[in-house]
Amino acid sequence: VAIELQEDVHKKAAELTERCKLEQLVSHYHGNFLDYNLEELGNGPVSFDAVTSWLVFLHIPDKAALLKNCFKMLKNDGILYTE
C-alpha cells in the first residue's frame, strides 16, 4: 500500500509501479493518511510488517494522530521507519 498526499507524486508513483510490473503487489492511494478509514487499507489494522515515511512527518502538525495511525497498522513486531 502506498499513500501519497500530492497528486502529481501519486500519479508518478503509480506509473512507476506499472512500468515495473508491480501493480499486483502495490495499491496506490491518493489523500491524507489521517483521513483514511484504516479498515480499508491493505488488510486493515495490525497487518503491516512495516510503515515507512519519506519526509512526511515534518509536514503533519498532529504527530500524535499520525503516530497512532501508523502503529494501528503495524503488526505487533512491525517496524516504523521515518526519514
Side-chain angles (χ1 to χ4, degrees):
V1 172
I3 303 173
E4 175 56 51
L5 185 60
Q6 295 176 291
E7 187 173 4
D8 60 330
V9 176
H10 162 71
K11 287 180 180 179
K12 280 290 183 194
E15 289 171 11
L16 180 59
T17 298
E18 189 174 334
R19 260 192 321 210
C20 294
K21 303 200 183 316
L22 296 172
E23 62 271 13
Q24 298 298 319
L25 300 173
V26 180
S27 299
H28 288 269
Y29 297 89
H30 171 243
N32 186 334
F33 181 61
L34 295 179
D35 295 335
Y36 266 96
N37 177 353
L38 301 181
E39 301 289 332
E40 296 176 2
L41 293 176
N43 292 322
V46 195
S47 65
F48 288 81
D49 294 315
V51 171
T52 61
S53 169
W54 305 105
L55 304 172
V56 172
F57 274 56
L58 295 170
H59 304 286
I60 298 179
D62 191 350
K63 292 192 181 23
L66 178 61
L67 286 169
K68 183 178 177 182
N69 278 2
C70 288
F71 284 109
K72 276 184 186 177
M73 299 307 290
L74 285 171
K75 292 178 181 176
N76 290 334
D77 59 347
I79 296 170
L80 173 64
Y81 176 82
T82 65
E83 178 184 57

